[in-house]
């Protein structure tokens, strides 16, 4: 695969500022209060020396990952190392996920070469692009076309209840095509009455214009309130977001009290919103 490694510009990569806005509108205030705590009190998740990615002649920089308050949920700091010593390269919220088998297509490497997004696909060829929170630790093992297990999780920018309403298909050509497949007799096959489609439990995951960010819709399967994080109540809400070839893909979506705005989801509710998709490999950690 010639384009396995895609090097992004700073503009293409963006940043993590909007990830923090789910906790506080004043990101600078939040960062100035908590970043020193993350760096000083964070636990070492792992570190990696210099090395070469598959098919790349460049030597990748060394670095380390710190997590706070633990390795499961919280804030992550990426620490780089160069001739001048250690430096803080990046920081963002991170979360534990649910494992999915994915085939690696490409690596979208951010400036500084310590962070990346992974373009992947499911075994049913559903495409998924997510930010790899542990890219620094696993990068030297990635190969194009390789299938690995990745834990996926979402951080909700928007999360709201949706009342399912039926959709009526009225286009005659569409009705004929659908009834030619499903009709049980000639009378039903020739009918042009609108087709009613129920949307209760509908699942969808649609990319936005921003890489690794998606609009989602689906039924709630599980709801757990976690310990507060960054002065916010926090919920882990498992939602079915896709059904490729009738297999359900469930993702735990983490939502702060600022995002859900007083609505506490219940199992069986239909919801929708916007999320940042992140994940990490659970097979190749060094």
């Amino acid at each position: 695969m010639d384009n396995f490694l895609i090097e992004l510009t700073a503009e293409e990569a963006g940043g993590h500022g909007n990830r923090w806005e789910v906790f506080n509108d004043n990101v600078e205030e939040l960062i100035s209060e908590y970043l020193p705590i993350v760096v000083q009190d964070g636990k070492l998740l792992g570190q990696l020396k210099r090395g070469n990615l598959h098919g790349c002649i460049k030597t990748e920089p060394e670095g380390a990952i710190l997590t706070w308050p633990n390795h499961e949920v919280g804030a992550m700091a990426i620490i780089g190392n160069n001739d001048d010593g250690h430096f803080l390269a990046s920081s963002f919220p991170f979360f534990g996920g649910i494992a999915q088998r994915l085939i690696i297509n490409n690596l979208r490497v951010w400036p500084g070469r310590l962070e990346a997004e992974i373009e992947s696909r499911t075994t049913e060829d559903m495409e998924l692009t997510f930010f790899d929170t542990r890219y620094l630790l696993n990068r030297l093992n990635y190969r194009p076309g390789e299938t690995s297990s990745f834990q996926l999780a979402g951080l909700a920018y928007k999360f709201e209840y949706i009342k399912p309403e039926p959709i009526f298909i009225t286009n005659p050509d569409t009705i004929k095509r659908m009834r030619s497949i499903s009709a049980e007799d000639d009378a039903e096959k020739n009918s042009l009455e609108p087709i009613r489609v129920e949307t209760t439990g509908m699942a969808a995951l649609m990319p936005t214009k921003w890489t690794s960010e998606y609009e989602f819709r689906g039924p709630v399967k599980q709801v757990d309130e976690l310990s507060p994080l960054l002065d916010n109540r926090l919920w882990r809400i498992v939602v079915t977001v896709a059904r490729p070839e009738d297999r359900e893909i469930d993702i735990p979506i983490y939502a702060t009290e600022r995002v859900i705005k007083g609505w506490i989801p219940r199992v069986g509710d239909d919801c929708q919103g916007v999320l940042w998709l992140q994940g990490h490999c659970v097979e190749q950690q060094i």
Side-chain angles (χ1 to χ4, degrees), residues 170-216:
T170 59
N171 183 282
D173 292 335
T174 304
I175 292 173
K176 289 178 182 178
R177 185 166 58 254
M178 293 180 66
R179 289 214 163 106
S180 67
I181 299 172
S182 62
E184 297 182 355
D185 54 47
D186 289 341
E188 182 181 357
K189 184 177 180 179
N190 295 324
S191 172
L192 292 180
E193 286 294 315
I195 296 176
R196 178 187 176 111
V197 179
E198 298 296 338
T199 61
T200 300
M202 178 182 291
L205 191 65
M206 300 170 290
T208 69
K209 65 179 182 179
W210 307 110
T211 308
S212 75
E213 295 182 7
Y214 290 83
E215 295 182 4
F216 69 89

